[in-house]
Amino acid sequence: MAAGSPPLVAFADVLGPPAAEGSPTPPYAYTYVKFLSRGAYGHTYVVQRTADGANLVVKVLSLKPITAAAEAASEPGPSPANGDNPDGAPRRRGVETTSLERVGIEMSNLARVSAHVFCTRLLDHRLVDGHALLFLEYCAAGDLAQIAHVRKRQQRPFEADEV
């Protein structure tokens, strides 16, 4: 893993480090490939599915309780702490919510868009050792925001047939 990435945590038989060169297949369903990013509630990694070698992304999210005020402070846009919650779940200023509820909302949102050709699909999920592991399709070229940023820097707007 790259310098500055968080330490790798093994989760039962679900996720862990790859086997050493020449060793038998690792005892995990998924193995870490590389660190991608750190977010307010967890980390994302590229992982390899042991069964077929496919690369996926895993979001490793802590299931510790969070407050709506902390949630609102960590996210741009509508503020759940102010009752302006885009997912429709009722929230009030200072009301504590759990990360498990937040993960449930995220999984529900992913399920709603999973049939769309331009959205990454949730392929697997596990609750292990106080963490939610969300396994998603991996987009090797990056996400749309990254591509748009590069294209803007290159002064190369998207063509109509690309949109």
Side-chain angles (χ1 to χ4, degrees):
M1 291 286 152
S5 63
L8 298 180
V9 177
F11 293 98
D13 59 346
V14 179
L15 176 63
E21 191 71 34
S23 296
T25 304
Y28 304 106
Y30 303 91
T31 59
Y32 292 103
V33 174
K34 71 178 182 177
F35 173 74
L36 286 178
S37 66
R38 180 185 322 256
Y41 302 104
H43 305 98
T44 55
Y45 301 87
V46 175
V47 297
Q48 187 174 65
R49 189 168 42 207
T50 305
D52 61 5
N55 282 343
L56 309 175
V57 168
V58 64
K59 294 175 84 170
V60 178
L61 305 169
S62 172
L63 295 179
K64 294 178 184 173
I66 55 175
T67 64
E71 182 175 326
S74 69
E75 293 183 0
S79 171
N82 295 327
D84 188 14
N85 193 0
D87 63 39
R91 302 265 168 74
R92 294 174 304 283
R93 184 180 301 278
V95 173
E96 189 172 283
T97 184
T98 65
S99 296
L100 186 57
E101 290 170 319
R102 182 175 175 73
V103 168
I105 291 166
E106 182 165 356
M107 288 173 60
S108 173
N109 290 340
L110 286 167
R112 271 190 247 141
V113 299
S114 68
H116 194 284
V117 68
F118 295 118
C119 294
T120 58
R121 291 183 303 139
L122 178 65
L123 302 173
D124 191 6
H125 65 279
R126 311 282 178 97
L127 299 177
V128 184
D129 299 332
H131 291 81
L133 308 177
L134 305 181
F135 295 91
L136 303 145
E137 289 179 306
Y138 175 53
C139 301
D143 64 27
L144 182 58
Q146 292 169 323
I147 295 168
H149 180 73
V150 169
R151 297 284 288 264
K152 183 177 180 179
R153 205 173 53 233
Q154 295 171 341
Q155 297 181 344
R156 209 176 100 218
F158 289 101
E159 300 295 328
D161 63 337
E162 294 177 296
V163 180

